[in-house]
Amino acid sequence: MFFEIYGQTAGYQLLGWLLVFVGLILANEFARRTKIGGITCFLVIPAILTAYFIAIYIGAANGAEWALSNDTYVHMNSWFHYAKLYAATIGCIGFMVIKYEWGKLGKAHWFRCFPFVIVGLNILIAVASDFESAIRAGSLAGGWWLSSEGVWLYGGWWNLLNGIAGIINIACMTGWWGVYSSKGKKDMLWPDMIWIYIIAYDIWNFQYTYLNLPTHAWYCGLALLLAPTVANFLWNKGGWIQNRANTLALWCMFAQVFPLFQDSSIFTTVSSIYGEGGAAAAMGTSMPVMADPRMQGIISIISIAVNALALAWIIKRSIEQKKNPYTNEIFSDTKDFQLAMARKEA
């Protein structure tokens, strides 16, 4: 089993997943459909949260008990969480600039490669975190290490393998300048980013969360990844990367302020790495007595295999079409691409 879901809290764990999944879909719809929704979610709320975070760290530096015991300060102090939050938010703002064609930047052709740059940066942040876990484990065969947030992580060769898969995933993004605004300017579209890339990304990113965020992966690994993917496949064709950025930024904001939803509540769900120790072992004061890394290894192998196959297919198509896959769109003959282009602003 991937996750420890059993006993009296199983119903709450499933309910929590459903609430997060549906909540993220609805939040994304609010953010993407109107300017006021996007501005509220990615300019106003982040500004308020930034002031809140600064106040916490100033208070903690001065020894204030309210700050030192603050849930955000105690449970979400890793560099990764802040890097991910602000990188995703900057992405959302940049996507709105393109979607609404704000100013000279929004109309500039060269700025159309911004989505590739910001997505690549987000992936590299996760890759760095994967490599960090492999190093801090002390052995590629596997080893426990305690994160700054008090969570025991079991790093090893699986982290290294998945980090390499993330780098390959960056190379799988094609048609960097093929980014458009949809009719009615509700979406920023990247038509060449079809299901091939989405599946490769989802598997890689799920594995990243499974390895490095084992107390959060049930939500940020499954619910958070499936919300934008379902939206893209069912009603927002071509808008996956916008959906992904929106839901990621919004989830990071929620998780940063309310970390105990995942870490210490009836909704808490941990990965199978801890075996029967469960959440108590994940956040215990002493190193867990056992580790079950079987699923970690299996998923990492799948992750790198799927991303390598996706890249091989891209290379094959680019050779057949005699096109540079990054300066040109190479999936223009696919149904997904054509459906996305039908939504493009004339």
Side-chain angles (χ1 to χ4, degrees):
M1 181 179 287
F2 291 105
F3 296 96
E4 298 297 325
I5 303 175
Y6 55 82
Q8 296 181 340
T9 61
Y12 289 105
Q13 292 170 308
L14 295 171
L15 174 62
W17 187 94
L18 183 63
L19 290 173
V20 171
F21 175 72
V22 174
L24 286 171
I25 286 179
L26 294 177
N28 179 52
E29 293 302 305
F30 171 69
R32 62 172 276 260
R33 288 180 177 275
T34 64
K35 286 184 181 179
I36 190 64
I39 290 171
T40 299
C41 289
F42 308 121
L43 289 171
V44 176
I45 295 177
I48 294 171
L49 290 182
T50 298
Y52 172 66
F53 299 148
I54 291 173
I56 291 172
Y57 278 86
I58 290 175
N62 290 320
E65 179 58 32
W66 66 268
L68 292 171
S69 60
N70 181 277
D71 289 340
T72 296
Y73 184 78
V74 174
H75 298 278
M76 299 294 282
N77 55 48
S78 166
W79 67 268
F80 171 81
H81 293 300
Y82 285 100
K84 204 69 175 176
L85 167 59
Y86 285 103
T89 303
I90 290 170
C92 294
I93 295 170
F95 295 172
M96 286 197 297
V97 169
I98 294 173
K99 177 170 69 171
Y100 295 122
E101 298 183 331
W102 283 340
K104 293 182 179 180
L105 198 61
K107 298 179 178 66
H109 177 70
W110 67 266
F111 191 66
R112 299 287 157 154
C113 69
F114 171 79
F116 163 75
V117 174
I118 198 66
V119 175
L121 175 62
N122 270 275
I123 293 173
L124 286 175
I125 290 171
V127 167
S129 183
D130 247 332
F131 289 165
E132 177 190 25
S133 188
I135 293 169
R136 296 192 66 175
S139 169
L140 289 180
W144 290 108
W145 65 280
L146 187 63
S147 74
S148 62
E149 294 159 352
V151 177
W152 289 99
L153 305 179
Y154 198 71
W157 60 265
W158 34 82
N159 290 95
L160 185 61
L161 209 62
N162 197 57
I164 295 171
I167 295 172
I168 295 173
N169 188 257
I170 295 175
C172 290
M173 287 187 280
T174 62
W176 296 353
W177 280 269
V179 176
Y180 311 95
S181 178
S182 71
K183 297 173 183 177
K185 301 190 183 300
K186 289 183 179 180
D187 297 298
M188 185 200 76
L189 305 174
W190 191 342
D192 219 43
M193 190 171 270
I194 65 170
W195 65 268
I196 300 165
Y197 179 80
I198 296 171
I199 291 174
Y201 176 96
D202 280 356
I203 293 173
W204 161 76
N205 193 262
F206 170 76
Q207 175 64 342
Y208 169 76
T209 65
Y210 194 74
L211 295 177
N212 302 281
L213 302 168
T215 60
H216 297 179
W218 176 238
Y219 298 107
C220 70
L222 281 181
L224 177 55
L225 284 168
L226 284 176
T229 298
V230 168
N232 177 83
F233 286 155
L234 297 184
W235 67 83
N236 192 6
K237 190 67 70 176
W240 175 81
I241 193 59
Q242 175 192 258
N243 300 338
R244 168 60 179 163
N246 288 356
T247 52
L248 175 60
L250 290 165
W251 173 253
C252 287
M253 294 176 206
F254 172 82
Q256 200 73 4
V257 178
F258 302 105
L260 296 187
F261 172 82
Q262 298 175 100
D263 289 343
S264 182
S265 75
I266 55 176
F267 301 110
T268 298
T269 308
V270 300
S271 73
S272 61
I273 185 64
Y274 307 102
E276 295 181 359
M283 291 167 280
T285 55
S286 59
M287 184 184 298
V289 296
M290 68 158 290
D292 183 4
R294 287 175 298 175
M295 294 312 303
Q296 291 188 328
I298 290 171
I299 303 170
S300 278
I301 292 171
I302 294 172
S303 174
I304 197 167
V306 169
N307 276 277
L309 286 171
L311 182 59
W313 192 4
I314 288 167
I315 293 171
K316 179 177 181 292
R317 288 183 66 90
S318 66
I319 292 173
E320 291 173 345
Q321 298 176 26
K322 298 181 180 179
K323 290 181 179 179
N324 183 318
Y326 306 119
T327 57
N328 297 279
E329 296 160 318
I330 64 167
F331 292 108
S332 57
D333 59 338
T334 65
K335 182 179 179 181
D336 275 7
F337 182 97
Q338 293 164 3
L339 288 173
M341 287 299 285
R343 302 181 61 220
K344 178 172 115 29
E345 189 77 61

